[in-house]
Amino acid sequence: MKTKVIVAASAALAALMLGVAIGSVGIAPGDVLRIIGHKVFGMGLAEGIKPTTVTILWNLRLPRALLAFIAGGALSVSGAVMQSVLRNPLASSYTIGVSSGASFGACLVILYGVTIPLIGSLTLPLVGFAFGLGTIVLAISFASRLDRNMENNTIILVGMVFSLFVNAVTTLMSALSKEHMQRLIYWQMGSFSMKDWQAVYTLAPILAVGAAFVLYFNRELDMMTFGEEQAKTMGVDLKRVKWTLLIAAAAITGSAIAFVGIIGFVDLVAPHIVRKVFGSSHRVVIPVSVLVGGAFMVVCDLVARTVASPSELPVGAVTALVGAPFFAYVYFSRRARRC
Amino acid sequence: MLTLSGVSAGYGGVDVISGISFSLMPGESLTVIGPNGCGKTTLLKAIAGILPHGGAMELGGRPMRGMRHREVAKKIAMLSQISGTYFSYSVYETVMMGRYLHTGGGLLGLPSKADKACVLGCIETVGLADEADRPITTLSGGQLQRVFLARTLAQDPEIILLDEPTNHLDLKYQIEILDHLRRWSSVGGRAVVGVLHDLSLALRLGDSALVMKGGRILAHGATGEVLTGALLEETYGVDVAGHMRESLHIWDSIT
């Protein structure tokens, strides 16, 4: 197991290195390390490294790759939690309304040009986060009123109803305001372009605290995968733990999509791959999901910005295009081996 | 150790059982029998705290209503029928989950040496010592049920509730497991309540019997005294005793 985790961590570092080294201006891995050493530790910069290379790496590529890593890790952890809590392999924060709520919030900001004093350019991400989280809180509150045991099916159904309804409102609003439609669609497709260190500094602690928080519930998560009744009879305070973990997962997802827009598939594919390779224990699944989801997102962003350069593809489309066949390969090859 | 007085429980506001009153004594091994839909599983779920109940239920002299879920689970464990699909935990990891309330939850809730020894002992008890590292998704139904039994034993409760625990098990393990649970309940102030469709197994488990029909208790008492041919015929609507005699006759002719 330790070897596997070391391999996953090495792969994540390799993905980050590729993410910053490859682009219209190629940067050798050694130069990448030298520039980082120069910026972080004040080490002398080797001759031959141009100032523009330093700028490209430090101001553009590194924050972008780190943000992709953090967002991928956050979405992946959130997906792992949702799948286990709701005991549904297709569950994610998106299933129960985070993305639709965030889109609705973003739609309001973009259409009405709202800017909250003091936070200025952070208005869009913060409103997206607040609406995403608000939608899921409303959906779970409604579900708990309908079914005081808060069974998984009730939560998923209510979440989907909320999600579809809010989506419909967003679609109507954007259809009535065609001049803003492009910006809204662009936000909904997700992107890491034009992101600076501010987003990294904001999201990194959220991911660290969020992942540590859900890791604290690793044993409850393990038991919940055996079903609600079994978890209860083993002593899990199911309703409280379920509320806590759903909100935590939604907050983690909401924070990520607030900064980078809606990027699907990572939250679905990464936890599945992790469980296939590392087993199901959440003590391992949660931290390794950060590494695998993060690395996956960095590679997808690399593909998105290089494959049709100088144009950029929507990263959400790449996550699905790269992830779906990879997911199928991992899933079915291991199944075939077992047979 | 457990007393029910006029207990009712059900689903969606509709009572499936009502007026259930009996006491479970330390060392008792109680078998609950009755036709499909009579409320046996509902009764177990109400006792386990999975379903809310009406009436009064006391555990160790304290009312169960308002008792924290962890407190109930420390004293009552439940082994149910296998259903659905499972994530790929190893046998050891699965049985270790039974120690949850002993090691505490959270990041630092690491198992102690005693926990590990307990888990390995429970795995050995159910005959899976060589399979401890195997993923449960690769086990047969019978092996999986034995893993869940080991997990229930690892929980170290005072009362074990069994809901058709011998489904998926072959005869050898049915007998071994029921005998083990009988022995388990006979020491240390423990008790077992088992729902079993197979009457011969029910008789093997229970030194007392609770007969249910239509959500109510028809009879309760020592197995040998309560289970008369007339009562079983009234309960199941067929001549159960005659049917069992016929089976024995066939068995005699085979041997």
Side-chain angles (χ1 to χ4, degrees):
Chain A
M1 180 61 75
K2 273 183 186 167
T3 313
K4 285 183 182 175
V5 174
I6 290 169
V7 169
S10 307
L13 282 174
L16 275 170
M17 179 60 85
L18 288 175
V20 295
I22 298 174
S24 53
V25 175
I27 307 174
D31 288 350
V32 169
L33 295 176
R34 282 182 203 104
I35 295 170
I36 293 173
H38 169 68
K39 284 288 186 180
V40 178
F41 303 109
M43 291 159 64
L45 200 58
E47 280 181 33
I49 298 178
K50 295 176 189 168
T52 49
T53 309
V54 176
T55 306
I56 288 171
L57 181 86
W58 192 254
N59 293 349
L60 298 174
R61 296 226 189 121
L62 194 56
R64 179 175 180 144
L66 286 175
L67 188 64
F69 184 85
I70 293 165
L75 293 173
S76 178
V77 164
S78 172
V81 171
M82 286 287 178
Q83 286 159 17
S84 298
V85 170
L86 298 175
R87 215 182 168 219
N88 186 321
L90 298 175
S92 73
S93 298
Y94 296 159
T95 319
I96 55 176
V98 171
S99 62
S100 49
S103 293
F104 178 62
C107 182
L108 289 177
V109 172
I110 291 168
L111 294 192
Y112 298 108
V114 181
T115 303
I116 300 172
L118 297 177
I119 59 171
S121 63
L122 288 176
T123 299
L124 179 60
L126 283 179
V127 170
F129 169 76
F131 274 73
L133 195 60
T135 306
I136 212 167
V137 169
L138 272 177
I140 299 172
S141 306
F142 196 69
S144 73
R145 278 180 175 259
L146 278 181
D147 171 4
R148 70 179 192 163
N149 288 326
M150 269 178 63
E151 289 193 8
N152 293 341
N153 289 340
T154 313
I155 294 174
I156 292 172
L157 281 173
V158 171
M160 288 186 73
V161 168
F162 268 72
S163 189
L164 291 170
F165 182 80
V166 175
N167 267 342
V169 175
T170 309
T171 307
L172 275 176
M173 286 174 67
S174 52
L176 293 172
S177 180
K178 290 197 172 70
E179 68 272 23
H180 297 294
M181 198 185 268
Q182 195 178 2
R183 193 177 162 209
L184 188 63
I185 290 172
Y186 186 73
W187 186 85
Q188 285 176 333
M189 286 191 302
S191 173
F192 296 105
S193 70
M194 307 301 286
K195 297 295 188 295
D196 56 14
W197 283 102
Q198 177 65 44
V200 176
Y201 294 148
T202 312
L203 261 189
I206 291 174
L207 172 62
V209 172
F213 182 77
V214 295
L215 186 60
Y216 180 78
F217 289 93
N218 70 85
R219 303 186 73 204
E220 287 84 352
L221 280 164
D222 287 340
M223 287 183 276
M224 287 165 86
T225 66
F226 284 85
E228 305 185 354
E229 288 186 0
Q230 291 201 38
K232 269 186 178 179
T233 57
M234 283 187 272
V236 176
D237 186 350
L238 197 67
K239 198 171 174 181
R240 183 184 66 83
V241 172
K242 198 184 270 191
W243 249 106
T244 306
L245 286 172
L246 288 176
I247 297 298
I252 294 169
T253 307
S255 308
I257 63 178
F259 281 93
V260 301
I262 295 164
I263 303 169
F265 212 74
V266 179
D267 54 340
L268 177 67
V269 71
H272 276 288
I273 291 170
V274 171
R275 286 195 183 95
K276 286 278 172 196
V277 178
F278 295 86
S280 294
S281 171
H282 286 85
R283 202 188 294 274
V284 176
V285 167
I286 299 297
V288 177
S289 287
V290 173
L291 296 175
V292 172
F296 178 71
M297 189 72 98
V298 171
V299 172
C300 286
D301 184 48
L302 176 63
V303 172
R305 69 182 170 80
T306 53
V307 78
S309 180
S311 299
E312 267 196 30
L313 303 177
V315 69
V318 178
T319 56
L321 282 171
V322 175
F326 182 60
F327 179 47
Y329 168 74
V330 170
Y331 190 83
F332 289 111
S333 66
R334 290 184 72 85
R335 215 166 81 153
R337 213 176 302 154
R338 197 181 301 154
C339 297
Chain B
M1 60 198 308
L2 177 72
T3 306
L4 282 75
S5 306
V7 165
S8 59
Y11 306 89
V14 180
D15 284 346
V16 174
I17 56 170
S18 58
I20 303 290
S21 301
F22 71 90
S23 289
L24 186 71
M25 308 306 288
E28 188 173 346
S29 177
L30 174 70
T31 181
V32 182
I33 60 174
N36 288 340
C38 73
K40 303 185 293 291
T41 298
T42 306
L43 173 62
L44 294 191
K45 286 183 178 176
I47 294 173
I50 295 171
L51 289 177
H53 66 270
M57 213 182 311
E58 287 188 353
L59 180 63
R62 286 179 55 207
M64 280 181 72
R65 190 172 291 115
M67 207 181 256
R68 288 180 64 211
H69 204 76
R70 294 172 68 91
E71 290 180 75
V72 176
K74 268 185 181 168
K75 295 191 172 182
I76 301 178
M78 185 165 169
L79 177 64
S80 305
Q81 301 175 51
I82 297 172
S83 63
T85 52
Y86 299 99
F87 287 55
S88 61
Y89 293 94
S90 71
V91 169
Y92 179 83
E93 286 171 337
T94 307
V95 178
M96 186 57 86
M97 290 176 203
R99 301 299 296 164
Y100 169 62
L101 292 174
H102 301 271
T103 54
L107 197 58
L108 300 175
L110 296 171
S112 64
K113 277 185 182 173
D115 291 319
K116 290 175 184 170
C118 170
V119 166
L120 291 173
C122 293
I123 293 172
E124 198 174 339
T125 298
V126 298
L128 290 171
D130 293 336
E131 315 287 349
D133 294 325
R134 200 168 147 189
I136 59 168
T137 44
T138 64
L139 299 177
S140 69
Q143 287 173 315
L144 187 57
Q145 188 62 300
R146 281 150 58 200
V147 172
F148 290 155
L149 174 65
R151 190 181 68 190
T152 307
L153 294 172
Q155 203 170 327
D156 194 22
E158 291 175 7
I159 300 170
I160 290 183
L161 308 174
L162 307 165
D163 187 11
E164 293 291 349
T166 51
N167 280 3
H168 302 285
L169 294 179
D170 58 37
L171 193 59
K172 175 177 177 277
Y173 283 112
Q174 286 183 0
I175 292 169
E176 277 187 17
I177 282 174
L178 289 181
D179 287 353
H180 178 83
L181 285 166
R182 231 183 123 94
R183 283 197 302 277
W184 179 89
S185 66
S186 66
V187 292
R190 298 160 171 166
V192 169
V193 181
V195 168
L196 295 154
H197 269 299
D198 187 323
L199 272 181
S200 60
L201 291 174
L203 294 175
R204 190 174 191 98
L205 174 73
D207 42 34
S208 58
L210 185 81
V211 184
M212 292 182 71
K213 190 175 183 184
R216 291 181 172 275
I217 295 177
L218 273 188
H220 176 222
T223 308
E225 294 167 15
V226 169
L227 295 185
T228 62
L231 178 71
L232 290 174
E233 187 165 353
E234 183 191 344
T235 307
Y236 289 100
V238 291
D239 179 10
V240 178
H243 178 71
M244 290 182 90
R245 272 195 297 273
E246 203 175 303
S247 300
L248 282 173
H249 180 67
I250 295 168
W251 181 245
D252 284 342
S253 67
I254 293 171
T255 53

